[in-house]
Amino acid sequence: VFSALGKSVSLFDKDKEDKSFFDIEYKANKNLIEEAKNSGVNRFVYISIYGSDLYADAELAKVHRDIENELFKSKFSFTIIRPVGLFVGLLD
């Protein structure tokens, strides 16, 4: 499984739904991890964010770190990629 699920960080996101990073980032990825376990998947690749291990006070970093911790507890062989992702929000 390759997961790059996440909430937009665009400064000009026109989506009026007021869902938190926890609602979108954590819940969706947690469900994906559970489904992968139930399906016998043995490898999981997760796109996190740079600083998830350093900036726990920021909600975005915290939810990524929480998903990383779910992978650490799992029996998957996994890879975590931590790109600097906030620049994409400036493309608008």
Side-chain angles (χ1 to χ4, degrees), residues 75-90:
K75 295 182 181 176
F76 291 124
S77 174
F78 63 87
T79 300
I80 297 171
I81 301 169
R82 293 181 181 151
V84 176
L86 296 178
F87 293 113
V88 73
L90 300 175

Side-chain angles (χ1 to χ4, degrees), residues 11-54:
L11 299 174
F12 304 101
D13 190 359
K14 293 172 182 53
D15 185 7
K16 300 300 180 195
E17 265 187 89
D18 193 23
K19 299 231 177 196
S20 69
F21 288 113
F22 178 82
D23 288 335
I24 295 174
E25 304 269 348
Y26 182 81
K27 288 180 180 178
N29 282 295
K30 174 74 169 147
N31 288 337
L32 188 57
I33 289 169
E34 291 304 317
E35 286 298 319
K37 285 179 189 175
N38 294 336
S39 299
V41 169
N42 59 13
R43 179 103 181 128
F44 202 101
V45 177
Y46 177 61
I47 304 297
S48 184
I49 187 170
Y50 176 78
S52 65
D53 54 340
L54 302 173

Side-chain angles (χ1 to χ4, degrees), residues 43-70:
R43 179 103 181 128
F44 202 101
V45 177
Y46 177 61
I47 304 297
S48 184
I49 187 170
Y50 176 78
S52 65
D53 54 340
L54 302 173
Y55 303 105
D57 292 342
E59 183 189 8
L60 178 59
K62 182 183 181 324
V63 296
H64 278 290
R65 186 60 181 179
D66 290 345
I67 287 298
E68 291 178 15
N69 287 333
E70 292 295 332

